[in-house]
Amino acid sequence: MTAIIQPTILCRLARFVFALIMAVPLATSAQAPRIVSLDGTVSEILHELGLQDRLVGVDVTSTYPESLQKLPKVGHNRTVSAEGVLAQQPTLVLTTEKAGTTPAVLDQLRGAGVQVITFRQEFSVEGTKKLINDIAAICRVPSKARAVIRRLESDMARVQAAPGRPKVLFIYARGAGTMLVAGRGTPVEKMIELAGGQNATRQFDEFKPLTTESLVAANPDIILLFDSGLESLGGPRGLLDIPGVVQTNAGKQKRFVTMDGHLLTGFTPRLGKAISELARKISPSGTL
C-alpha cells in the first residue's frame, strides 16, 4: 500500500531543506561563486565582508581598497560589454541600479547562464546598512555584515557637522568644456546635508550644465569638486578663471573643497569617515 504524504508535510519538508541549503556558507562550498562586480561600492562591501578572493573582475569605479585595482577590469559600468564580463567566466554578477549598466547587457549575461543581482541603493546611512546586509545575504555570509555595520555606526557617532549650514555648490568637471552642477536628489546633495551644509542649487533635479547666471545667483559659500575635477580645470587658478566664480562668496574667499569621487558619492562602508571629512572641509576653518 502506497503511503500518502499530506501537502502540509511536503511544504514543511521543502522549507526545511531550503533552510539547510541557505545555511551553508558559500565560503565552504566546493563551488564558491566567481563574482564580477559592476559597482565600486559593491566591490568595497565585498572586500569588507572578506569576500575579495571571490572577485574575478571589477569595473573601473572599483578603486578602493587599492588591492581591487589588481583585479581584471571589465570596463566602465555604464559602457561595459557582456563579452568583457563573460571573459572572466563569472557565475555571479553584482551591481546597483545607480551603476547604470544597460538592461540589454544584463539580459545578455543572464542569457549566458550567469546569475545577475541588481541592488537598489538608497543614499542614506540606513540605506548603506541595508546594502551591506543585502550583499552579505546574497553571498550567504549574513553574520559578517554585523561587524561592518558596527564600524560604520562607530564612525557615524564621531561625525561633527559643520556649523552655520554653509551653502555648498558641487561642480562635476571634466575640463572647462564639461561642467555640471548638482541639484536635488543627488548623492552629493545628501552628503552635503549629512555634513551640515545645504545645497546651493535646489531649483532642479539631478544635474544641469553650469551657467554664469546660475552660478552667480546661487552665490555659494563653498565650491565642492572631485579631486580629479579640479585637476581637470588646472587647479584653483583654473577654477577662478571660470566666468562667474570670482563673483561668488566662494570665489572671493577662495573656498574650494575637493574629495575623492568614490568616497564622496559612493555611500560605502566608509560613509561615516566621508561625512566627517566633508564636514571638516566645509567648516569655517576648512581648507583645500
Side-chain angles (χ1 to χ4, degrees):
M1 182 175 179
T2 304
I4 299 176
I5 301 177
Q6 295 296 324
T8 54
I9 297 176
L10 285 173
C11 289
R12 290 173 183 169
L13 180 61
R15 285 197 297 268
F16 176 72
V17 171
F18 179 75
L20 283 178
I21 292 172
M22 291 303 293
V24 178
L26 292 180
T28 62
S29 169
Q31 296 181 336
R34 294 174 56 84
I35 303 174
V36 166
S37 169
L38 299 180
D39 184 279
T41 299
V42 172
S43 301
E44 186 171 334
I45 290 173
L46 288 168
H47 175 271
E48 290 299 306
L49 292 171
L51 302 176
Q52 183 168 328
D53 60 340
R54 297 186 196 172
L55 280 167
V56 296
V58 294
D59 78 301
V60 297
T61 70
S62 300
T63 57
Y64 184 90
E66 189 175 345
S67 56
L68 291 178
Q69 299 182 35
K70 300 175 183 177
L71 293 169
K73 295 294 188 295
V74 297
H76 193 284
N77 44 31
R78 295 183 183 276
T79 57
V80 69
S81 69
E83 293 76 14
V85 176
L86 293 173
Q88 308 307 321
Q89 300 181 318
T91 58
L92 177 62
V93 170
L94 302 179
T95 188
T96 64
E97 291 177 350
K98 81 171 179 65
T101 304
T102 62
V105 168
L106 299 180
D107 286 343
Q108 281 183 277
L109 296 173
R110 293 187 183 99
V114 179
Q115 184 182 13
V116 177
I117 304 293
T118 301
F119 299 99
R120 183 177 180 276
Q121 184 180 12
E122 177 189 323
F123 301 111
S124 67
V125 177
E126 291 305 313
T128 300
K129 292 179 185 178
K130 184 178 185 301
L131 184 60
I132 293 167
N133 276 321
D134 288 348
I135 293 173
I138 286 295
C139 295
R140 299 185 188 176
V141 289
S143 61
K144 292 188 176 182
R146 296 174 198 144
V148 180
I149 290 173
R150 279 197 299 269
R151 289 195 294 272
L152 169 58
E153 290 174 338
S154 177
D155 291 337
M156 287 301 305
R158 290 192 286 270
V159 170
Q160 294 184 5
R165 298 196 69 227
K167 288 199 301 180
V168 182
L169 176 71
F170 174 76
I171 299 177
Y172 174 78
R174 294 183 64 183
T178 304
M179 300 184 70
L180 305 172
V181 291
R184 294 185 302 262
T186 55
V188 73
E189 179 187 65
K190 300 293 185 181
M191 285 294 294
I192 290 169
E193 292 171 349
L194 286 168
Q198 57 179 312
N199 186 6
T201 48
R202 290 189 49 79
Q203 298 78 29
F204 53 86
D205 296 329
E206 299 300 325
F207 286 83
K208 280 193 173 182
L210 175 70
T211 65
T212 302
E213 293 76 15
S214 63
L215 176 58
V216 174
N219 192 24
D221 301 309
I222 297 161
I223 293 177
L224 171 65
L225 307 94
F226 292 155
D227 295 329
S228 57
L230 186 62
E231 183 180 351
S232 76
L233 296 173
R237 182 68 259 174
L239 180 56
L240 284 167
D241 288 339
I242 301 298
V245 170
V246 293
Q247 295 171 253
T248 66
N249 288 335
K252 293 171 184 175
Q253 301 297 322
K254 297 183 175 57
R255 290 297 312 278
F256 309 140
V257 169
T258 67
M259 282 184 62
D260 173 78
H262 180 52
L263 180 63
L264 178 60
T265 62
F267 280 75
T268 76
R270 295 177 293 152
L271 178 59
K273 291 183 172 67
I275 296 170
S276 288
E277 179 178 332
L278 180 57
R280 287 194 303 271
K281 288 184 173 181
I282 66 173
S283 292
S285 60
T287 61
L288 186 65

